[in-house]
Amino acid sequence: MKLVNVIMVLGISLLTSACGFEVVDIGHRGVQTRFGEVVSDSLPEGLHFYNPFTSDIKELDVTIQKAEGKLSTYTKDIQQAAIKIAVTYHLNKSKVHEVYREYRYDIESRELDQAVKGAVKAIVGNWNAVDLIANREAAREQVEVMLREALSSKNLMVKKFEFVDIE
């Protein structure tokens, strides 16, 4: 009888140790991988069970982030402009698994920075220096539209773009 109890306890212990769980925190989405391969769509917040020997769950932040920077570019009339910018954005919540597959945790430095610099330089280059200052809001809107179009295909959702300062 004691042997049966010991075997049952060992059996239950073995079965429960083969079941892992992960809590995906508020403001995050999970990505389940099996042997390094993404195997599911984005996992919502909450409790998720998986086999810890073959799988893992990675979390990516989907809250609104803010990126700030400064860059130099030229206006249409060849005046150098030093521009401080700010962009608020977040990952597309339903496509986090695609972002993880493509970029891991490094989408901001690989896509956002490049897109922002390209959009700002393209739009500022269409304006004379005096007109850029006078029409700052129109130029800001043009950059924001360009960023939204460029980054939505990368699953980065731009909430707002701002010219913080133009010198």
Side-chain angles (χ1 to χ4, degrees):
M1 196 55 135
K2 287 184 179 182
L3 183 60
V4 172
N5 288 340
V6 170
I7 291 173
M8 282 181 46
V9 169
L10 286 174
I12 291 171
S13 297
L14 183 62
L15 286 174
T16 57
S17 69
C19 182
F21 66 92
E22 179 80 25
V23 175
V24 177
D25 294 324
I26 294 172
H28 291 79
R29 290 296 182 268
V31 177
Q32 185 173 0
T33 61
R34 186 172 300 122
F35 297 115
E37 179 185 1
V38 174
V39 293
S40 71
D41 289 343
S42 302
L43 301 173
E45 301 161 343
L47 182 64
H48 301 279
F49 294 95
Y50 65 99
N51 180 341
F53 298 113
T54 61
S55 300
D56 196 10
I57 294 180
K58 310 289 186 185
E59 285 188 47
L60 279 83
D61 191 344
V62 294
T63 59
I64 295 175
Q65 305 290 316
K66 184 175 184 180
E68 297 177 302
K70 187 173 184 178
L71 58 103
S72 291
T73 188
Y74 288 94
T75 60
K76 186 177 182 178
D77 56 348
I78 313 173
Q79 297 294 315
Q80 187 172 11
I83 302 173
K84 291 181 186 176
I85 54 101
V87 182
T88 53
Y89 66 95
H90 64 86
L91 295 177
N92 183 341
K93 294 176 184 179
S94 64
K95 302 291 185 177
V96 169
H97 60 288
E98 292 178 12
V99 171
Y100 184 78
R101 181 182 293 124
E102 192 78 20
Y103 302 100
R104 301 286 175 177
Y105 299 103
D106 198 25
I107 191 168
E108 289 86 358
S109 65
R110 292 166 82 190
E111 293 293 341
L112 183 69
D113 295 346
Q114 180 179 343
V116 169
K117 288 175 185 173
V120 169
K121 288 181 178 190
I123 298 303
V124 169
N126 291 330
W127 293 84
N128 289 324
V130 173
D131 294 336
L132 176 64
I133 301 301
N135 298 296
R136 179 182 187 143
E137 182 61 21
R140 183 204 67 77
E141 288 174 2
Q142 291 174 349
V143 172
E144 190 172 286
V145 166
M146 185 179 276
L147 283 176
R148 284 188 175 145
E149 290 173 1
L151 293 172
S152 66
S153 65
K154 306 292 184 187
N155 295 308
L156 271 174
M157 314 311 291
V158 174
K159 298 296 279 179
K160 188 164 188 169
F161 173 82
E162 285 294 330
F163 287 120
V164 176
D165 190 29
I166 302 174
E167 295 177 10

